[in-house]
C-alpha cells in the first residue's frame, strides 16, 4: 500500500497538494487557515480523514501511512497524534505522556519536524511539556509508534 495524491483541504475550501510550498501559498495571497481534512489515494481508492477542530498531517517517509496531529478543541490545547494506515485504519496512537529525562511528562504534540534519527522509517514531532512549556523533538518509529530519540529544543 502506497499513498498517492495526498492533499490537505482548508476550512475555506482551498486545497494544498504536496508540491505546494509556504512561499507559493503566500504568493497566491492565502492567509493562514485551519486544515479540516486530508485526502489521499490508496491503490486508486480515495481515503479521507476529517477533523472538526483541525488536523496537521504528513505522509510518512515510507509512504505507507499518514501521521495525523488532530486538535480536540478549538484552541488546540488538547491534541491526539496518530499513525493512520494507507487504507485509513488506525495503526496506533502516540500517548500524551512521554518519558523525558527519566520522568514521565504530560504534555501534547504541537507540530512536525524532520526526524533527527538516521532511520528511514522515523518522523519527528515536537512535544511541549505542561505547564513549563519546555519543547522536545521526539523521533517516532512509524511502524509501531515507539520512541527512537528525544531531543531538547529549549
Amino acid at each position: 500500500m502506497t499513498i498517492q495524491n495526498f492533499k490537505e483541504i482548508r476550512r475555506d475550501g482551498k486545497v494544498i497538494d504536496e508540491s505546494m510550498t509556504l512561499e507559493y501559498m503566500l504568493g497566491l495571497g492565502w492567509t493562514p487557515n485551519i486544515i479540516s481534512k486530508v485526502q489521499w489515494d490508496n491503490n486508486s481508492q480515495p481515503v479521507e480523514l476529517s477533523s472538526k477542530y483541525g488536523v496537521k498531517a504528513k505522509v510518512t517517509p515510507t509512504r505507507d501511512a499518514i501521521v495525523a496531529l488532530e486538535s480536540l478543541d478549538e484552541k488546540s490545547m488538547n491534541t491526539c497524534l496518530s499513525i493512520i494506515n494507507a487504507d485509513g485504519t488506525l495503526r496506533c496512537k502516540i500517548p500524551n505522556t512521554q518519558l523525558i529525562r527519566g520522568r514521565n511528562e504530560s504534555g501534547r504534540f504541537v507540530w512536525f519536524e524532520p526526524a533527527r534519527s538516521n532511520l528511514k522509517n522515523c518522523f519527528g514531532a515536537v512535544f511541549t511539556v505542561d505547564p513549563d512549556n519546555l519543547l522536545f523533538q521526539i523521533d517516532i518509529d512509524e511502524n509501531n509508534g515507539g520512541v527512537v530519540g528525544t531531543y531538547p529544543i529549549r
Side-chain angles (χ1 to χ4, degrees), residues 3-140:
I3 292 171
Q4 300 167 329
N5 302 318
F6 177 78
K7 53 188 165 243
E8 300 167 297
I9 294 84
R10 298 165 24 134
R11 274 195 185 156
D12 62 9
K14 294 177 179 166
V15 177
I16 303 169
D17 68 39
E18 282 187 276
S19 68
M20 296 174 79
T21 63
L22 178 59
E23 291 77 19
Y24 179 77
M25 290 181 274
L26 291 172
L28 293 173
W30 292 10
T31 56
N33 203 294
I34 291 174
I35 304 296
S36 59
K37 61 184 162 184
V38 293
Q39 299 173 333
W40 65 91
D41 293 332
N42 173 46
N43 295 328
S44 301
Q45 295 295 319
V47 182
E48 180 176 291
L49 171 68
S50 297
S51 176
K52 178 179 179 180
Y53 297 113
V55 62
K56 295 176 182 106
K58 64 181 262 174
V59 180
T60 60
T62 58
R63 298 196 68 82
D64 71 344
I66 299 291
V67 182
L69 179 57
E70 183 178 0
S71 295
L72 303 177
D73 58 39
E74 287 188 35
K75 295 185 179 186
S76 297
M77 294 306 293
N78 294 299
T79 60
C80 178
L81 180 62
S82 302
I83 302 174
I84 310 294
N85 293 314
D87 64 3
T89 59
L90 177 67
R91 182 177 295 178
C92 64
K93 289 188 177 186
I94 314 304
N96 279 336
T97 299
Q98 293 292 317
L99 184 63
I100 297 175
R101 297 181 180 163
R103 293 180 39 203
N104 283 324
E105 297 282 3
S106 294
R108 62 190 161 87
F109 289 95
V110 289
W111 72 79
F112 299 115
E113 289 288 339
R116 294 186 188 186
S117 167
N118 293 328
L119 299 175
K120 180 182 177 188
N121 61 337
C122 289
F123 65 92
V126 175
F127 185 78
T128 181
V129 175
D130 299 327
D132 302 324
N133 292 322
L134 299 174
L135 295 175
F136 296 87
Q137 178 169 325
I138 299 179
D139 284 359
I140 299 169

